[in-house]
Amino acid sequence: MSEPTLILRDVAIYKGWLDLGEQAALVTALRDVVARAPLFQPVTPTGRAMSVRMTSAGRYGWISDGQRYRYARHHPDGMAWPPIPEPVLAIWRALVSETRLPDCCLINHYTTEARMGLHQDRDEVDFSWPVLSVSLGDDALFRIGNLTRGGKTDSLWLASGDVVVMGGAARLVYHGIDRIRPGSSSLLRGGGRINLTCRVVM
Ligand code: MD3
Ligand code: FE
């Protein structure tokens, strides 16, 4: 297993883990997923549309049912989620596990205006496995806090090709995306950012 570039609050950060060719191949595979399972805007339990658009690949996908967030076997439009693309699984195998593969690859799409408020990822049943994140496209200002709301936070710019692994003590910390830096990458036509998070759900 390779050494992370840096470790911040138990979050392992691998800067530039993917080269440009690998990033482009990933984008091609993700376009195929999105063609079969379109991006949608989840509605928060308070009834507001999230600014980030999402879809999933894998056995389970993350949805909002209008009351709460949960993992579901089907897209809101009724289709099964497409399989997780092989190049995504290859990153998981290299950095997390060769035996246990993720149940869900959540795909987040950020336009320039999109953001994600501080939250915990706790809709999964099994927290013993890390969450693996892959950034593609424009830079994003990632903020990481604590196991409870409030307290000091650290911020870090994530760039295209960076991979982050949140395991152990980091698995349940509050985190979010404060803003996107428009025009910082030419990977995605039309700009914006894609973030993948691979999760063991059940
Ligand atoms: C730290 N996504 O999808 S990825 C999410 O960039 C989410 O789209 C952000 O937070 C994004 O839930 C951040 C980095 C990340 C993902 C999951 C974590 C950091 C995490 C889970 C626990 C702790
Ligand atoms: Fe999260």
Side-chain angles (χ1 to χ4, degrees), residues 116 119-121 175 199:
M116 189 177 286
H119 66 278
Q120 289 173 299
D121 288 18
H175 59 277
R199 301 126 186 278

Side-chain angles (χ1 to χ4, degrees), residues 106 108 110 116 119 121 131 133 142 166 170-173 175 177 193 195 197 199:
L106 177 63
N108 295 334
Y110 294 78
M116 189 177 286
H119 66 278
D121 288 18
V131 174
S133 142
F142 175 63
M166 287 74 48
R171 178 63 181 77
L172 287 167
V173 299
H175 59 277
I177 296 291
R193 171 175 186 260
N195 179 263
T197 46
R199 301 126 186 278

Side-chain angles (χ1 to χ4, degrees), residues 101-113:
L101 294 180
D103 299 311
C104 171
C105 173
L106 177 63
I107 300 164
N108 295 334
H109 181 271
Y110 294 78
T111 56
T112 297
E113 299 77 30

Side-chain angles (χ1 to χ4, degrees), residues 81-104:
W81 308 102
I84 300 176
E86 192 52 43
V88 177
L89 295 177
I91 305 168
W92 176 278
R93 284 198 193 90
L95 293 178
V96 179
S97 171
E98 303 220 6
T99 51
R100 180 62 151 112
L101 294 180
D103 299 311
C104 171

